Amino acid sequence: MPAKFLRSILLTLVFSFLFSPEKSFSQQAPGPDEKFLLDAVNHERANERISPLKWDANLAAAARAHVQEMVTRNHLSHQFPGEPNLTARASNAGARFSSVAENIAEAPSVDELHIGWMNSLPHRTNILNPKLTAIGIAVEMRGEQFFAVQDFSTAVGSLSREEQEKRVGRLIEKQGLKISPSPENARKACDSSGYSSARPLAILHFEAPDLNQLPDQVASAIRKGPYKTAAVGSCTVNRSDGFSLFRIAILLY
């Protein structure tokens, strides 16, 4: 490779490294100000015996984009003209969730940001909401004022169809039923009552943001019926509003 061409590549790489926006990397882990607010939130939750919020880099990226808008405009708002709403911002940043919430504030110090949120009922409610599981935070300064955004979510994990079916199958087994090794018939029942084998006694459908437990109505229906075997199928969910849910079909025999 010609030495002149090699030097050109090296110079390009150095230039890119020096002038890439530092903030593009800041969402992966909280900076000092964000870490202070994260710890403060989880301290409040611990005092109420609520599970801590996990840091979500995608939510942090959404929060960073919004706090920069507030700093630029020197104004607090959950949505500026021409800006996507919270749901779209979080979704566009790559977050997967079944619910979202947001706190915004400005104050002369980072600790006063937290104090202000805790002294405001709607903001305090978000911080202490036991249904929320993840958080992303961004803090920026304008002059001597700190602007901050906390984006919260009930995070939805990424599971393959097979993983979803196995997880629901284990929950059904705890109800005393055997699980069919093949999910195909249940998958066919996702959008219709079609199936190609023995006619089931019942077909159940449900949507849920997590698969750690069966919905009460589903568990009740299984307990009350004369069922011995179940087939579980994961269904495709097509949504464009940013919310993520698991959709499951169950054939009961």
Side-chain angles (χ1 to χ4, degrees), residues 57-105:
N58 295 322
L59 288 178
R64 177 68 60 194
H66 187 58
V67 81
Q68 289 174 346
E69 286 285 341
M70 295 198 305
V71 167
T72 299
R73 299 168 188 263
N74 195 24
H75 182 70
L76 293 180
S77 176
H78 286 287
Q79 183 180 9
F80 292 103
E83 183 188 31
N85 63 22
L86 169 60
T87 299
R89 294 197 305 268
S91 177
N92 292 341
R96 291 170 52 84
F97 50 86
S98 61
S99 65
V100 285
E102 184 174 71
N103 286 346
I104 59 175

Side-chain angles (χ1 to χ4, degrees), residues 106 116 166 184 230 235:
E106 63 172 307
K166 287 180 180 179
E184 294 306 318
C235 309

Side-chain angles (χ1 to χ4, degrees), residues 218-233:
V218 172
S220 177
I222 292 174
R223 286 195 302 269
K224 293 179 179 179
Y227 313 121
K228 296 183 178 180
T229 305
V232 180

Side-chain angles (χ1 to χ4, degrees), residues 41-210:
V41 164
N42 282 332
H43 177 74
E44 303 287 359
R45 290 172 71 92
N47 286 341
E48 301 294 329
R49 298 185 179 180
I50 302 171
S51 298
L53 295 172
K54 294 182 179 180
W55 179 261
D56 187 305
N58 295 322
L59 288 178
R64 177 68 60 194
H66 187 58
V67 81
Q68 289 174 346
E69 286 285 341
M70 295 198 305
V71 167
T72 299
R73 299 168 188 263
N74 195 24
H75 182 70
L76 293 180
S77 176
H78 286 287
Q79 183 180 9
F80 292 103
E83 183 188 31
N85 63 22
L86 169 60
T87 299
R89 294 197 305 268
S91 177
N92 292 341
R96 291 170 52 84
F97 50 86
S98 61
S99 65
V100 285
E102 184 174 71
N103 286 346
I104 59 175
E106 63 172 307
S109 65
V110 176
D111 59 328
E112 288 178 87
L113 290 169
H114 179 71
I115 292 169
W117 280 326
M118 289 304 294
N119 287 331
S120 167
L121 181 58
H123 300 92
R124 178 187 178 91
T125 298
N126 286 337
I127 288 172
L128 298 180
N129 186 341
K131 294 183 179 180
L132 297 173
T133 60
I135 189 172
I137 307 170
V139 181
E140 294 275 1
M141 285 196 72
R142 179 186 171 110
E144 297 182 355
Q145 283 289 101
F146 288 86
F147 285 75
V149 175
Q150 290 178 325
D151 283 344
F152 306 84
S153 79
T154 304
V156 174
S158 179
L159 299 174
S160 68
R161 298 186 77 178
E162 291 77 12
E163 289 170 332
Q164 295 174 45
E165 290 157 355
K166 287 180 180 179
R167 185 167 295 189
V168 175
R170 288 193 292 268
L171 295 174
I172 295 175
E173 285 178 327
K174 292 180 180 179
Q175 303 287 325
L177 278 66
K178 293 183 179 180
I179 302 300
S180 169
S182 174
E184 294 306 318
N185 285 314
R187 289 181 180 181
K188 291 177 182 177
C190 281
D191 300 310
S192 68
S193 297
Y195 40 83
S196 59
S197 62
R199 183 182 182 90
L201 298 174
I203 301 175
L204 304 178
H205 294 90
F206 73 87
E207 290 187 355
D210 70 75

